[in-house]
Amino acid sequence: MADRVPLGFSQLAECLAEVYRRRSLNRFDRSLRHARDESLPIFACVQDPLELQRPAPHGQPASPVVLRMLSDRLRPEGAKSPELQVPHFVVGLEDKSPADGPDAELQPVSTAEVDELVQLLDRATTGLKDNRSGGYVFSRYDLIRWLMGESFADAKQVRRALYRRAVGGVGESDGVWARIQLQLPGWLQVLTLWLLPTLFWLRHSGRVPMLSGTYRWLRNQPYVARGDDNLFELARRVTKDKRPEQDPERFAGLLVNAFLEDLRAGFRPVEWVRRHRATHPILMVGPISRTNGGYLLVRMVAEVRNDTMRFDPLLLVTIGRKVPPLALDPGEAMVDESVAAWRARHLQESLRHWIGAWLLVFPIGASKIAVARRLGWWPRPVVSTEQERPVQFQRVIGPLWRRRPGGFLIIASVFAVLASTYAGFGVLDDRRHCGGDGFTWLGIEAADQSVAKVDGDCVGVTDGTNALLFPSQTFAPVRNKILEQNRQAAELSKQQPDRPLISLVFLASTTDRSPNEGVFIAEGEQLAGLAVAQAVQLGKPAERYEPILRILIANAGPQFRHADRVAGQLGALSAEDPSIVAVLGLVESRESTQEMVRKLAAVGLPTVAAVLTADQMVDVSRMYLQISPQNRREAAVAAAHVRNLLATGKDPFGRRLTPKLTVYKSDDPTDTYSQNLADDALKAFRAIGVPGTAVSYNPKGIGLDATQAGVDACDHKEEIVFFAGRGQVDFQAFLGGIQDRCRVQPPYVVGGSDTTKYVADRGVSGLNKSVPFQYLALALAPDLLTNAPPQSADFYARLQEMFQYEKTERGRSLDGYAALSYDAAYTVVLAASHLRRENIAVNGGTVRSALQSITDADGGQRSYQGVTGRIDFGGSVSRRVPVDKPVAIVTFERGGPVPRATIVCGPRAESPAWCPVD
C-alpha cells in the first residue's frame, strides 16, 4: 500500500517527472504534452508551517522534509545502488524565513545578500561537480570566485596572475609547469619561452573563438560595468578591492550567469568527449528566504533567463513559507495545476520579462488547504496528507549514439568509412593506372600517371616500374631486367656525364587481358634483345661517343587502338626529355601500325622497326626505317627455293611436287602483312612459271576459318601451299585442320615470316610431330644452324646468360625476334655514336638522318655485321631497308626445326647461287 505524503507532494513529483529528462528524450515520448518547449520552470514549493527534518545532521542546517522525500524518490534503489541515482543535489539553508508580509515590489539587493548567494552557489557547484550529481565543471564560476579573492594594482598584474593560474605556477620552482619543464628537451624548453606566452596571450584576449573559451565569455558578459574593452580591466572590476564599487544586483547576476553558463556548456548533446547527460541537473534548495540567499537565487535565475533569452538546463526546486521573491502567500500568487498550464502562461508573461513567469508554485500540506478554501475548491474540512500516487523516477540512459561507447563506435565507424573510402579510391586509382590488386597511397605516393586503364586495356609508358603494363609471367623477367638496368644507366650517367644518355621506346600493341602466354612471346623476345643491347652499352668503356642506353616500355593497346593517347604521351615526354630519340617494337604490319608510325613522326620521333616486313611500310613516313627485309624479298626467296625444288620434282620431305600454288591469307583488309605477302607470293611464283590462287580465311572463325582452311588444304596434295597469315593461333589452327584430314600425306606447306611466332612457342609447336613444313625466318638462333656465325653466337650466349629461361628447351628463342630487336637498337646506338663523334646534338631528328648514313655506299664504310646479317641502308634517301638482308628457310619436322636443313639467302657471296638479290 502506498505511503501517505503531504498534500500536493504527488502533484510536485508528477510535474518534476514530466520535465526532468532532457528535451531530446522527451520529444519521442508521445504521452508528454508540450515536450517541444525548452523552457524549464522554477519549482517554488510553499509549506506553512514548514516541516523540517529533525534531528538535523551535525554541523548542517535542517533540510525541508519535502526536499528529502523528493531526493529519496530520485534514488529508486536507495544508498545501496548510487549508480542508479537521478543526478541531483540538495542544498539545505539556515531557516531565516521572515514573518513579515509581502513586499510591494522587489527590494534593492544588498551586499550581505550577495554574500549569502555566494555561499549557496559554492555549495551547489561543489555538489554538482560530484559524478553522482552530474559531474559538471564550473570553469566560469570558478574564475569569478578566484578573482573575488584577489587584489591587483593594475591590469598587468591581472594578466600575470591569469597566466600563472593557467599554467599551474610557471616561473615558480615548485610550480607544476616548472616540474614539467625539467623533463623536456632543451630545445623544447627554449621554445616554450615564447610559445606558451603567445598561446595564452591569444587565449586571454577573449577575442578568439573556441580558443578563448571562458575568457571570451567574461569579456562579452553584460553584468559588469563596461569601460575599457581590455579583458584584464574587466576582470579587475570583479576583484576583492573593486567589488564594492559594483552594483550588488548586477554582481549577483554575474555569479548566477556564470553558474548557468557552466551548466549550459556541460549539457552537451553527446558524450563523446565528456559524459552525456540524459537528465537536467536538479538543484533543490530550502528553506529559502529573503536573507539566506534563496530568494535572491530564484530572482537572479529568472532575471538572467529574461536577460539572455537563452535556454539553460537547470531544474531549480525550492521550498519556503512564502512564494519567492516577493514573499507572497500562496493565495496571492498564480498557482498552476500542471506544467502544461504553466507553459501556456509562461509564453505570454515571459515576453514582459516578469520574474513570476518562471515560477510554477506548489502549495504543500496546510498551504494547499488554505489556497483551496480561499478559491472554493474544498468546502469541507480535509486532512493535510494524501495517498501518494507512485511516480517512476529512473536514471535515464541516453541512446547509444549519444553516449561515450556510441561516440567511440561512431568515431570508429567514421574512421572505418574514411579508411575504406580512402582505400577504395586508392584501389580504383591503382587499377586506373594498372596497379593490379594493390592500392595507391593517395597524397603520399605519387601515382603512375603515364600508365592508365583505358577501355579495359592497360596503355601508356613506363620505365619498368609498373608491373601490370604487361602482366604475363613470360614478360616479367625481361621487364624486371630492364628496370634494373635503367637504374644502373641513371647512376652511370651521373658518374660519366660526358657519355650521352639516349632513350629508346619499345612500343607494343597488345592487351593485358589475354590468357594466352604466347601472345607475349614476340614482345618479350624483342624486349630481351633490347635488354642485351642495353647491357652491352653499360659495359662499354667511358668514351664520350659511347651512348648509355635507357629503355622505356609502351603499349598502345591491341592493334594500336589507343595510338593517339600514347603518341601524345611520347611527344610530350620527348619534348621534356630530348634523350628520347627513337621508337622500336611494332610487331605486326597492319593499317593501324602505319597510322601509329605517322603519329610518331608527327611528334618528331623516328621509328626503327625490327620485324615489320610489309612493302608499303617504308612509304608511310620518311621517319620510318626497318631492320628486317620486305615481303617482296621473302616471296622472291620462297619462289627461288621452290623453283630449285621443282627441278628435282620433290619437296624437302621426299614427296612428289607439282608446280601449282595455293596461297592462304587473312580476309582482314587491315592486316597489311597478310594481304601484301600473299600478293607478293603470287607475283613471285608467277614469275617462275608457277600459277597460283589465293584463298582467304576468317581469323575470327566466321565462315571459312583457319582450321577449315587447313582441312581444305588437303585437297592440294603434291602442290605448294603458302601460308601468308598470322603465326600465332591461325597457323596452329591451320596445321590442326591438316592433321585432322591428311596427317599421313599432307601438302607441302611453306609459312611466311610470321610463322616464327608459332615455332617460338615451343609448348605448342613441339606437339606437332606429324605435319612437316618449311617457314621463312628473318633471323636464326644458333639452334637452327650447324655453324653459327660469331655475332650470333656471342649475342645468344649473352641472351642466355641474362635470361635463364632461354637455356630451357621450351624457353629457347627460335623466332629471331630478340636478335632483330638487338640489331635495331644497336643501329640507333651507332647513329648516336656517329653524331657524337661529329659534335652534333643527339635527338630524334638528327638520329633519323644519321640512321640512313649507315652504309658502305660512296665509301661511307659505316655498315656493320649485325646478329641477323649486314645492316647497310644502301646510301639512298628513299631506301629505308637494308640491302640483301638475309632470309632463311627453316625446315620443321617431328616437333622441331632441323638445323642441318636451314638455308640462308643473304648477300650473293654468302648465299647459294639460286638466291635472289636486291
Side-chain angles (χ1 to χ4, degrees):
M1 181 176 180
D3 296 333
R4 299 190 68 81
V5 295
L7 191 64
F9 178 81
S10 292
Q11 183 185 8
L12 169 65
E14 289 170 355
C15 290
L16 186 64
E18 186 175 339
V19 297
Y20 83 103
R21 288 176 293 181
R22 71 183 299 157
R23 171 178 175 247
S24 60
L25 299 177
N26 283 338
R27 185 183 304 166
F28 300 106
D29 190 342
R30 295 183 179 179
S31 65
L32 300 177
R33 298 170 60 190
H34 304 286
R36 292 182 179 273
D37 192 347
E38 282 189 288
S39 303
L40 296 176
I42 298 174
F43 289 76
C45 302
V46 183
Q47 187 179 32
D48 193 14
L50 184 64
E51 184 179 3
L52 299 177
Q53 184 182 23
R54 302 295 183 185
H58 178 69
Q60 298 181 16
S63 299
V65 172
V66 169
L67 298 187
R68 288 299 171 188
M69 292 173 60
L70 198 57
S71 177
D72 291 341
R73 303 308 185 273
L74 295 173
R75 292 180 293 174
E77 298 298 328
K80 62 182 180 181
S81 299
E83 70 279 357
L84 299 179
Q85 172 181 311
V86 176
H88 71 282
F89 186 69
V90 180
V91 179
L93 300 178
E94 186 177 351
D95 187 11
K96 297 182 180 179
S97 299
D100 300 338
D103 291 328
E105 58 185 15
L106 291 175
Q107 298 298 313
V109 177
S110 67
T111 301
E113 288 179 301
V114 175
D115 292 339
E116 291 288 342
L117 176 64
V118 168
Q119 295 181 27
L120 191 161
L121 290 176
D122 284 350
R123 294 176 59 191
T125 55
T126 300
L128 291 175
K129 285 179 182 178
D130 184 83
N131 285 332
R132 301 296 181 194
S133 299
Y136 287 89
V137 177
F138 294 92
S139 58
R140 294 164 184 80
Y141 181 80
D142 289 345
L143 174 62
I144 299 299
R145 290 292 289 120
W146 176 76
L147 289 171
M148 289 172 62
E150 300 290 330
S151 296
F152 304 107
D154 53 32
K156 290 183 179 180
Q157 289 188 0
V158 179
R159 179 174 57 81
R160 286 194 292 268
L162 285 173
Y163 182 60
R164 286 195 300 271
R165 178 176 183 265
V167 299
V170 67
E172 301 175 4
S173 59
D174 59 343
V176 174
W177 180 244
R179 293 194 297 271
I180 293 175
Q181 270 192 318
L182 294 176
Q183 309 300 320
L184 297 177
W187 66 271
L188 192 53
Q189 292 184 31
V190 174
L191 186 63
T192 57
L193 292 179
W194 64 269
L195 183 62
L196 277 179
T198 301
L199 173 65
F200 284 103
W201 178 82
L202 292 172
R203 180 168 169 78
H204 291 154
S205 69
R207 298 175 184 272
V208 184
M210 302 297 292
L211 180 63
S212 293
T214 299
Y215 306 101
R216 185 173 175 82
W217 168 84
L218 178 60
R219 184 177 181 278
N220 295 325
Q221 62 76 42
Y223 291 98
V224 175
R226 307 296 295 179
D228 189 348
D229 285 340
N230 187 294
L231 171 74
F232 308 114
E233 291 291 344
L234 290 174
R236 191 163 171 253
R237 295 188 179 96
V238 184
T239 57
K240 182 167 55 177
D241 53 343
K242 294 292 184 180
R243 175 188 162 194
E245 301 175 7
Q246 305 298 318
D247 179 6
E249 181 178 343
R250 303 295 292 172
F251 198 86
L254 172 67
L255 291 166
V256 173
N257 187 26
F259 174 70
L260 294 180
E261 184 66 24
D262 285 328
L263 290 177
R264 191 180 295 117
F267 201 65
R268 292 175 175 82
V270 292
E271 184 191 7
W272 300 351
V273 178
R274 295 182 181 174
R275 70 171 61 190
H276 167 67
R277 295 169 173 91
T279 61
H280 295 95
I282 302 174
L283 179 63
M284 294 183 282
V285 183
I288 62 172
S289 70
R290 292 194 185 105
T291 57
N292 64 4
Y295 276 24
L296 184 57
L297 175 64
V298 173
R299 173 178 172 178
M300 297 319 301
V301 168
E303 284 193 1
V304 169
R305 287 178 175 176
N306 287 335
D307 289 344
T308 61
M309 298 299 291
R310 295 179 62 198
F311 166 80
D312 66 75
L314 177 66
L315 264 179
L316 179 61
V317 181
T318 66
I319 189 168
R321 291 184 176 88
K322 302 291 184 180
V323 179
L326 295 178
L328 298 175
D329 289 324
E332 299 172 328
M334 177 62 68
V335 179
D336 300 302
E337 288 298 309
S338 66
V339 174
W342 172 83
R343 290 193 189 281
R345 175 174 64 85
H346 168 76
L347 186 62
Q348 298 177 356
E349 293 187 357
S350 63
L351 298 177
R352 298 194 299 270
H353 285 202
W354 170 236
I355 291 176
W358 293 94
L359 298 180
L360 179 53
V361 180
F362 289 92
I364 302 294
S367 299
K368 186 171 181 65
I369 296 173
V371 172
R373 286 177 175 173
R374 186 178 296 109
L375 298 178
W377 294 347
W378 272 304
R380 60 183 183 281
V382 294
V383 295
S384 61
T385 62
E386 63 179 356
Q387 198 75 23
E388 182 178 9
R389 299 191 295 273
V391 177
Q392 185 68 32
F393 287 97
Q394 59 181 354
R395 185 179 184 90
V396 179
I397 304 298
L400 179 64
W401 69 270
R402 288 180 179 268
R403 291 182 281 125
R404 189 166 297 170
F408 290 149
L409 182 62
I410 290 174
I411 293 173
S413 300
V414 169
F415 274 110
V417 170
L418 291 176
S420 300
T421 303
Y422 179 85
F425 277 109
V427 169
L428 290 176
D429 190 78
D430 195 65
R431 290 182 178 176
R432 186 164 60 91
H433 295 98
C434 304
D437 296 327
F439 72 97
T440 302
W441 291 95
L442 298 176
I444 301 174
E445 178 185 359
D448 186 356
Q449 300 295 338
S450 62
V451 176
K453 207 81 168 181
V454 183
D455 298 334
D457 299 314
C458 191
V459 299
V461 185
T462 180
D463 62 354
T465 53
N466 194 303
L468 268 294
L469 187 62
F470 295 104
S472 167
Q473 292 301 314
T474 302
F475 201 80
V478 188
R479 181 191 57 249
N480 293 337
K481 177 60 70 173
I482 290 290
L483 176 60
E484 175 190 340
Q485 294 185 161
N486 277 342
R487 291 169 176 166
Q488 294 175 16
E491 186 64 30
L492 188 61
S493 181
K494 293 178 182 179
Q495 297 172 6
Q496 302 174 11
D498 289 341
R499 295 178 64 183
L501 175 69
I502 64 172
S503 302
L504 302 181
V505 180
F506 170 76
L507 181 59
S509 58
T510 187
T511 174
D512 60 346
R513 293 172 290 174
S514 175
N516 185 359
E517 288 291 317
V519 170
F520 297 97
I521 290 178
E523 284 80 3
E525 285 298 313
Q526 283 203 72
L527 193 56
L530 293 182
V532 174
Q534 186 180 34
V536 169
Q537 290 306 114
L538 287 173
K540 288 286 184 69
E543 297 288 350
R544 59 179 297 274
Y545 53 81
E546 287 293 353
I548 299 171
L549 198 56
R550 182 177 67 144
I551 306 298
L552 300 179
I553 307 171
N555 181 34
Q559 297 187 22
F560 297 105
R561 183 184 303 166
H562 309 290
D564 287 333
R565 178 188 181 93
V566 176
Q569 280 185 281
L570 292 175
L573 286 173
S574 63
E576 296 177 1
D577 181 7
S579 73
I580 301 176
V581 297
V583 176
L584 287 69
L586 309 177
V587 177
E588 295 183 346
S589 299
R590 294 180 179 272
E591 288 186 1
S592 57
T593 309
Q594 297 178 43
E595 186 61 27
M596 185 78 240
V597 170
R598 293 188 187 98
K599 294 182 183 300
L600 292 172
V603 297
L605 288 175
T607 302
V608 182
V611 300
L612 302 187
T613 60
D615 298 341
Q616 53 267 60
M617 288 301 301
V618 295
D619 300 323
V620 171
S621 169
R622 294 180 63 183
M623 299 285 282
Y624 172 88
L625 295 92
Q626 67 184 52
I627 299 300
S628 56
Q630 293 177 294
N631 280 344
R632 65 169 59 99
R633 178 162 175 79
E634 284 191 45
V637 169
H641 172 59
V642 170
R643 181 178 58 186
N644 194 45
L645 292 176
L646 289 172
T648 66
K650 292 186 178 181
D651 67 16
F653 310 106
R655 299 171 304 200
R656 185 171 178 272
L657 186 63
T658 60
K660 189 174 181 181
L661 172 70
T662 303
V663 178
Y664 287 91
K665 65 175 182 177
S666 169
D667 67 357
D668 181 1
T670 66
D671 190 346
T672 310
Y673 162 81
S674 184
Q675 302 296 329
N676 176 241
L677 181 58
D679 291 343
D680 285 344
L682 290 172
K683 293 176 184 177
F685 277 85
R686 191 179 303 119
I688 65 170
V690 177
T693 58
V695 177
S696 298
Y697 67 88
N698 189 286
K700 296 182 179 179
I702 302 172
L704 179 66
D705 59 10
T707 301
Q708 187 59 45
V711 173
D712 293 350
C714 290
D715 294 333
H716 305 289
K717 184 175 62 172
E718 299 181 357
E719 297 177 4
I720 306 157
V721 171
F722 190 90
F723 186 82
R726 293 294 172 181
Q728 205 93 54
V729 181
D730 291 353
F731 189 63
Q732 177 186 352
F734 182 79
L735 291 180
I738 294 175
Q739 290 171 332
D740 290 342
R741 184 180 177 192
C742 56
R743 185 188 302 262
V744 177
Q745 291 184 325
Y748 169 51
V749 178
V750 179
S753 59
D754 203 75
T755 310
T756 54
K757 294 179 184 177
Y758 164 77
V759 178
D761 192 351
R762 303 296 292 276
V764 174
S765 64
L767 300 176
N768 175 25
K769 307 291 186 180
S770 58
V771 179
F773 60 91
Q774 288 187 312
Y775 66 94
L776 303 175
L778 308 180
L780 297 173
D783 299 40
L784 305 182
L785 293 168
T786 52
N787 294 305
Q791 293 84 359
S792 178
D794 291 345
F795 168 78
Y796 281 99
R798 189 70 174 266
L799 182 68
Q800 292 179 11
E801 178 186 353
M802 292 176 61
F803 303 106
Q804 295 299 311
Y805 64 82
E806 290 283 352
K807 296 181 180 180
T808 64
E809 180 65 23
R810 295 186 61 179
R812 186 176 302 128
S813 174
L814 294 179
D815 57 8
Y817 279 18
L820 288 164
S821 184
Y822 173 87
D823 280 351
Y826 196 70
T827 302
V828 179
V829 168
L830 283 181
S833 179
H834 293 323
L835 291 171
R836 189 70 170 184
R837 289 174 187 269
E838 296 171 4
N839 295 319
I840 300 175
V842 179
N843 55 51
T846 58
V847 164
R848 197 273 305 176
S849 299
L851 284 169
Q852 288 190 290
S853 71
I854 299 177
T855 178
D856 287 342
D858 300 325
Q861 297 183 355
R862 286 189 174 182
S863 71
Y864 74 97
Q865 184 65 38
V867 176
T868 62
R870 180 159 293 277
I871 308 299
D872 185 335
F873 288 103
S876 172
V877 176
S878 61
R879 183 178 182 88
R880 291 183 285 277
V881 182
V883 177
D884 293 333
K885 190 68 194 301
V887 175
I889 302 168
V890 184
T891 301
F892 187 98
E893 190 174 16
R894 294 186 178 87
V898 181
R900 67 180 181 276
T902 300
I903 303 170
V904 179
C905 285
R908 183 176 298 278
E910 303 171 7
S911 310
W914 52 263
C915 287
V917 293
D918 293 342

